[in-house]
Amino acid sequence: METLLNPSKSTLKLSIPKTHIFKSSLLHSTFNPQPRTLFHRRTLSFTITCKVKTSQGRTNDGKNISKKILLTDTAPELSNEEVKVKPKNGGGALGLVRRLPRRILALLSNLPLAIGEMFVVAGLMALGTAIDQGEAPDYYFQKYPEENPVLGFFTWRWVLTLGLDHMFSSPIFLGTLVLLGLSLMACTYTTQIPLVKVARRWSFLQTADSIKKQEFSDSLPRASIKDLGVILMGSGYEVFLKGPSLYAFKGLAGRFAPIGVHLAMLLIMAGGTLSATGSFKGSVTVPQGLNFVVGDVLGPTGFLSTPSETFNTEVHVNRFYMDYYDSGEVSQFHTDLSLLDMNGKEVMRKTLSVNDPLRYGGFTIYQTDWSFSALQIIKDGEGPFNLAMAPLKLNGDKKLFGTFLPVGDTNSPNVKGISMLARDLQSIILYDQQGKFFGVRRPNSKLPIEIDGTKIVIVDAIGSTGLDLKTDPGVPIVYAGFGALMLTTCISYLSHSQIWALQDGTTVFVGGKTNRAKGEFPDEMNRLLDRVPEIVESSKSKQTDSIGG
């Protein structure tokens, strides 16, 4: 289409060829010249009104789009009106709310923050180890007095206010664990998962220049990309071919390992938190022959502690005895226990010892201590009588128990009698009324001893077993977490290697990279490429070429 304009003439005509395009009633053109004097600048303008049918017109029931375009040979005047841009959906308060999670994720996934959280957790755990846990307030009043503070400022107020007497269930420790867990999850979501998604994609490189830009690159002048793929498959690579391009990788599990490490750490922290806030603990010292109920001993440690039906189990101490070294020192102590249900029926029986606990119905009974309960004697052929043995305070960890057998008038203000001391259950030392050493007897020896006219036979030494009872629902989770942590840590050392290749005529361009063992990767690649067979022209083809020449 041509438009002829001649402004020198007073009458201007618009010449439009008659074609089938412009016969349509959809296009209408109007030309309106305005002549000026010779001393003024001319302005040429015309208006074009167009009605265009689009693909949407079929669905808009005949609605047309009308636009007017003004053409002029002078620049338009600048408008003083402000241009109002319609805000996107992300503007305003709504956009701030939508951007807030991203900012929070970026903050939580910050590596220095996560390292700092781990140091804080380690420091609190060390502090919880240094400060005795679970003691009565009076204990901390005496050990951390205000008159003589530790390090010049640390007193019992710090311990009780911050909950350092129950560190592993205190808000400050649990809050730090929660923050560390959030950081691990944010790092996994923002960093590790995208890396795995990228690593799983099959990416083919289509140019030799892109292959040469890899960490390792080489070319094989006379080789086949298929032979290279077979050799890579034999070396444990996953190989993919697409036309003249090849992509291979191995060690993708190494990319998943960091996610597994994070999940394992989350399991450990979750199990530890459940142990600190959902367990039951208790200790009891029971003489031989007596019973106790599990629920009467166990006490909750946190707000998640929930009792079970097995807490109604009754425990009967059948027998307590000890093993000794040749020197007479105690080497091991044992307790024969029977577990009884609510109907009095024995459901389990076991002899436990140190490092050999009893487990039943979610609770565990540990052998931790022992005591001397009573001394059974026969006095002048009468009895037996049970004399209670009392622990005597000694310096150090040695134990000493004693009892007293009155002789004569027991109502007298100055009662005299026979004293009996014992360090263990195998020998009893006797003293007369003046406190002088008189002799030693072994229980069950049936050998009498006469002191100040009183004949005594030591029948038996009745011991008491010291038991610790505990329920810990977080132990399986912690064990699973540590197992997963060891496994995923080993897997994380696997190298994720990627290889690209391109067949260009008889030349194969090869490149690759790895995330670990970068010094060994080139040697491995050279060994693989040395195994690729070289393409050699056959003698028949050479003869054909010579004849053709």
Side-chain angles (χ1 to χ4, degrees):
M1 178 180 68
E2 294 181 1
T3 302
L4 301 177
L5 302 178
N6 190 357
S8 63
K9 296 182 179 181
S10 61
T11 303
L12 300 178
K13 296 182 180 179
L14 177 64
S15 176
I16 302 177
K18 295 181 179 180
T19 63
H20 67 280
I21 297 176
F22 296 100
K23 287 181 180 180
S24 174
S25 60
L26 297 176
L27 181 61
H28 175 70
S29 177
T30 302
F31 177 71
N32 185 16
Q34 298 180 357
R36 303 276 182 174
T37 61
L38 296 175
F39 302 98
H40 294 81
R41 186 177 180 181
R42 292 186 177 181
T43 301
L44 179 64
S45 64
F46 61 91
T47 302
I48 300 177
T49 303
C50 302
K51 294 182 179 180
V52 183
K53 281 188 176 181
T54 63
S55 59
Q56 296 177 353
R58 299 178 182 177
T59 59
N60 293 336
D61 298 332
K63 294 181 179 179
N64 297 326
I65 301 175
S66 178
K67 293 186 177 180
K68 293 184 178 181
I69 305 174
L70 180 63
L71 302 179
T72 178
D73 61 350
T74 60
E77 296 182 359
L78 295 177
S79 175
N80 294 327
E81 297 180 359
E82 295 182 358
V83 179
K84 297 181 179 180
V85 181
K86 184 178 181 181
K88 298 181 180 180
N89 294 333
L94 182 59
L96 179 61
V97 173
R98 292 180 177 177
R99 291 192 299 268
L100 189 60
R102 296 183 180 179
R103 294 181 180 179
I104 295 176
L105 288 176
L107 178 62
L108 290 175
S109 59
N110 189 11
L111 181 59
L113 175 63
I115 295 176
E117 292 165 355
M118 295 183 68
F119 273 108
V120 171
V121 171
L124 292 176
M125 293 177 65
L127 192 60
T129 304
I131 299 175
D132 295 329
Q133 301 290 297
E135 300 292 341
D138 293 339
Y139 175 83
Y140 302 104
F141 295 157
Q142 298 177 3
K143 191 167 185 179
Y144 305 100
E146 293 184 336
E147 294 79 11
N148 186 21
V150 179
L151 301 178
F153 69 95
F154 192 81
T155 64
W156 60 268
R157 294 185 182 275
W158 288 85
V159 177
L160 299 181
T161 303
L162 298 179
L164 304 184
D165 57 330
H166 52 281
M167 172 64 75
F168 303 104
S169 60
S170 62
I172 184 174
F173 183 79
L174 296 179
T176 308
L177 279 184
V178 171
L179 188 60
L180 178 58
L182 292 176
S183 295
L184 289 175
M185 290 187 288
C187 179
T188 303
Y189 179 76
T190 60
T191 305
Q192 300 301 333
I193 293 179
L195 288 177
V196 172
K197 289 182 179 179
V198 171
R200 293 184 63 185
R201 294 173 184 169
W202 302 350
S203 58
F204 296 95
L205 300 182
Q206 305 297 334
T207 62
D209 292 338
S210 59
I211 293 179
K212 294 178 181 179
K213 293 179 181 179
Q214 301 302 317
E215 297 176 0
F216 172 87
S217 62
D218 200 352
S219 61
L220 303 176
R222 293 183 178 182
S224 171
I225 197 170
K226 294 183 179 179
D227 295 337
L228 176 62
V230 172
I231 293 175
L232 292 177
M233 290 179 62
S235 299
Y237 282 85
E238 296 286 340
V239 181
F240 304 92
L241 282 173
K242 183 180 179 182
S245 301
L246 177 145
Y247 172 68
F249 72 90
K250 73 174 181 178
L252 185 60
R255 287 293 189 183
F256 286 95
I259 299 178
V261 171
H262 289 180
L263 293 178
M265 294 180 65
L266 289 174
L267 281 177
I268 294 172
M269 290 189 293
T273 302
L274 184 59
S275 297
T277 60
S279 301
F280 287 85
K281 294 182 180 179
S283 300
V284 64
T285 301
V286 186
Q288 176 179 305
L290 297 185
N291 299 2
F292 69 92
V293 179
V294 172
D296 295 339
V297 177
L298 291 175
T301 60
F303 59 93
L304 296 179
S305 300
T306 303
S308 62
E309 294 182 358
T310 56
F311 282 20
N312 296 321
T313 304
E314 187 176 3
V315 182
H316 178 71
V317 181
N318 300 313
R319 185 189 175 200
F320 173 76
Y321 60 97
M322 295 189 293
D323 298 334
Y324 302 93
Y325 293 110
D326 295 338
S327 60
E329 298 290 332
V330 177
S331 64
Q332 182 64 281
F333 31 98
H334 311 266
T335 304
D336 182 12
L337 297 179
S338 292
L339 304 185
L340 311 174
D341 60 14
M342 298 183 64
N343 299 323
K345 181 181 178 182
E346 185 179 75
V347 294
M348 184 179 182
R349 182 169 182 173
K350 180 180 179 178
T351 300
L352 65 154
S353 58
V354 179
N355 298 326
D356 185 17
L358 181 149
R359 293 182 173 88
Y360 174 78
F363 64 84
T364 306
I365 303 178
Y366 299 90
Q367 178 74 72
T368 57
D369 202 357
W370 67 276
S371 182
F372 206 142
S373 175
L375 188 63
Q376 194 174 69
I377 66 169
I378 296 177
K379 175 186 174 183
D380 295 331
E382 298 179 357
F385 302 101
N386 289 334
L387 301 178
M389 298 290 288
L392 304 178
K393 187 175 181 180
L394 291 177
N395 294 328
D397 297 332
K398 297 294 184 178
K399 291 187 176 184
L400 181 64
F401 302 89
T403 188
F404 182 76
L405 177 63
V407 177
D409 186 7
T410 58
N411 296 323
S412 174
N414 297 322
V415 179
K416 294 184 178 181
I418 300 172
S419 301
M420 304 178 192
L421 300 178
R423 292 186 179 275
D424 47 49
L425 303 180
Q426 62 179 345
S427 60
I428 309 298
I429 304 172
L430 295 95
Y431 298 84
D432 61 12
Q433 298 182 32
Q434 284 74 34
K436 296 180 179 180
F437 171 76
F438 200 86
V440 178
R441 289 292 184 271
R442 290 184 177 275
N444 300 317
S445 64
K446 298 181 180 180
L447 182 63
I449 184 172
E450 187 173 349
I451 304 174
D452 298 334
T454 302
K455 186 177 181 181
I456 300 173
V457 177
I458 308 284
V459 177
D460 194 8
I462 302 174
S464 296
T465 178
L467 304 175
D468 278 1
L469 283 74
K470 179 181 179 182
T471 66
D472 196 342
V475 168
I477 302 177
V478 172
Y479 284 175
F482 274 109
L485 182 62
M486 291 186 290
L487 179 61
T488 52
T489 301
C490 295
I491 295 177
S492 65
Y493 285 97
L494 296 178
S495 299
H496 177 239
S497 303
Q498 296 173 284
I499 297 176
W500 293 270
L502 180 66
Q503 182 85 54
D504 187 4
T506 60
T507 303
V508 177
F509 295 94
V510 184
K513 66 178 181 178
T514 185
N515 64 335
R516 297 185 185 276
K518 294 183 180 294
E520 300 176 359
F521 183 69
D523 297 335
E524 179 187 1
M525 288 297 300
N526 289 326
R527 288 194 298 268
L528 292 174
L529 297 182
D530 290 341
R531 295 168 54 188
V532 178
E534 182 180 1
I535 298 177
V536 180
E537 295 184 16
S538 61
S539 58
K540 182 177 180 180
S541 62
K542 291 182 179 180
Q543 293 176 1
T544 304
D545 293 341
S546 61
I547 294 174

